[in-house]
Coordinates of all heavy atoms in Angstrom, one line a residue:
A69 N 40.7 84.0 87.7 CA 40.8 82.5 87.4 C 39.9 81.7 88.3 O 39.4 80.6 87.9 CB 42.2 82.0 87.5
D70 N 39.6 82.2 89.5 CA 38.7 81.5 90.5 C 37.3 82.0 90.3 O 36.4 81.6 91.1 CB 39.2 81.7 91.9 CG 40.5 81.0 92.2 OD1 40.8 80.0 91.4 OD2 41.2 81.4 93.1
G71 N 37.0 82.8 89.3 CA 35.7 83.3 89.1 C 35.3 84.5 89.9 O 34.1 84.8 90.0
V72 N 36.2 85.1 90.6 CA 35.9 86.3 91.4 C 35.9 87.6 90.5 O 36.9 87.8 89.8 CB 36.9 86.5 92.5 CG1 36.5 87.8 93.4 CG2 36.9 85.3 93.4
V73 N 34.8 88.3 90.5 CA 34.7 89.5 89.7 C 35.2 90.7 90.5 O 34.5 91.1 91.5 CB 33.3 89.7 89.2 CG1 33.2 91.0 88.3 CG2 32.8 88.6 88.4
V74 N 36.3 91.2 90.2 CA 36.9 92.4 90.9 C 37.9 93.1 90.0 O 38.5 92.4 89.1 CB 37.6 91.9 92.2 CG1 38.8 91.0 91.9 CG2 38.0 93.0 93.1
D75 N 38.1 94.4 90.2 CA 39.0 95.1 89.3 C 40.3 95.3 90.1 O 40.4 95.1 91.3 CB 38.5 96.5 88.9 CG 38.1 97.3 90.1 OD1 39.0 97.7 90.9 OD2 36.9 97.6 90.3
R76 N 41.4 95.7 89.3 CA 42.7 95.8 89.9 C 42.8 96.8 91.0 O 43.5 96.6 92.0 CB 43.7 96.1 88.8 CG 44.0 95.0 87.8 CD 45.0 95.5 86.8 NE 45.4 94.4 85.9 CZ 46.3 94.6 84.9 NH1 46.8 95.8 84.6 NH2 46.6 93.5 84.1
K77 N 42.1 98.0 90.8 CA 42.1 99.0 91.8 C 41.6 98.6 93.2 O 42.2 98.9 94.2 CB 41.3 100.2 91.3 CG 42.0 101.0 90.2 CD 41.2 102.2 89.8 CE 41.8 103.0 88.7 NZ 41.1 104.2 88.3
T78 N 40.6 97.8 93.1 CA 40.0 97.3 94.4 C 41.0 96.3 95.1 O 41.2 96.4 96.3 CB 38.7 96.6 94.1 OG1 37.7 97.5 93.5 CG2 38.0 96.1 95.4
V79 N 41.6 95.4 94.3 CA 42.6 94.5 94.8 C 43.7 95.2 95.4 O 44.2 94.9 96.5 CB 43.0 93.5 93.7 CG1 44.2 92.6 94.2 CG2 41.9 92.6 93.3
A80 N 44.2 96.2 94.7 CA 45.4 97.0 95.1 C 45.0 97.7 96.5 O 45.8 97.8 97.4 CB 45.8 98.1 94.1
S81 N 43.8 98.2 96.6 CA 43.3 98.9 97.8 C 43.3 97.9 98.9 O 43.7 98.2 100.1 CB 41.9 99.5 97.5 OG 41.5 100.1 98.7
R82 N 42.7 96.7 98.7 CA 42.7 95.7 99.8 C 44.1 95.3 100.2 O 44.3 95.1 101.4 CB 41.9 94.4 99.3 CG 40.5 94.6 99.0 CD 39.6 94.9 100.2 NE 39.6 96.3 100.5 CZ 38.8 97.2 99.8 NH1 38.0 96.7 98.8 NH2 38.8 98.5 100.0
M83 N 45.0 95.2 99.3 CA 46.4 94.8 99.6 C 47.1 95.8 100.4 O 47.8 95.5 101.4 CB 47.2 94.5 98.3 CG 46.7 93.2 97.6 SD 47.7 92.8 96.2 CE 49.3 92.3 96.9
R84 N 46.8 97.1 100.1 CA 47.4 98.2 100.9 C 46.8 98.2 102.3 O 47.6 98.3 103.3 CB 47.1 99.5 100.3 CG 48.0 99.9 99.1 CD 47.9 101.3 98.7 NE 46.5 101.7 98.4 CZ 46.0 101.7 97.1 NH1 46.8 101.3 96.1 NH2 44.8 102.1 96.9
E85 N 45.5 97.9 102.4 CA 44.9 97.9 103.8 C 45.5 96.7 104.6 O 45.6 96.9 105.8 CB 43.4 97.7 103.6 CG 42.7 99.0 103.0 CD 41.2 98.7 102.7 OE1 40.8 97.6 102.9 OE2 40.6 99.6 102.3
L86 N 45.7 95.6 103.9 CA 46.2 94.4 104.6 C 47.8 94.5 104.8 O 48.3 93.6 105.5 CB 45.9 93.2 103.9 CG 44.4 92.9 103.8 CD1 44.1 91.7 102.8 CD2 43.8 92.5 105.1
G87 N 48.4 95.5 104.2 CA 49.9 95.6 104.4 C 50.6 94.5 103.6 O 51.7 94.0 104.0
L88 N 50.0 94.0 102.5 CA 50.6 93.0 101.7 C 51.5 93.6 100.6 O 51.1 94.1 99.6 CB 49.5 92.1 101.0 CG 48.5 91.5 102.0 CD1 47.4 90.7 101.2 CD2 49.1 90.7 103.0
I89 N 52.8 93.5 100.9 CA 53.8 94.1 99.9 C 54.7 92.9 99.4 O 55.3 92.2 100.1 CB 54.7 95.1 100.7 CG1 53.9 96.2 101.3 CG2 55.8 95.7 99.7 CD1 54.7 97.2 102.2

Side-chain angles (χ1 to χ4, degrees):
D70 291 338
V72 179
V73 179
V74 65
D75 58 68
R76 289 180 176 180
K77 289 184 178 179
T78 302
V79 172
S81 178
R82 295 292 88 77
M83 289 182 69
R84 282 195 300 269
E85 291 172 358
L86 295 170
L88 305 180
I89 303 174

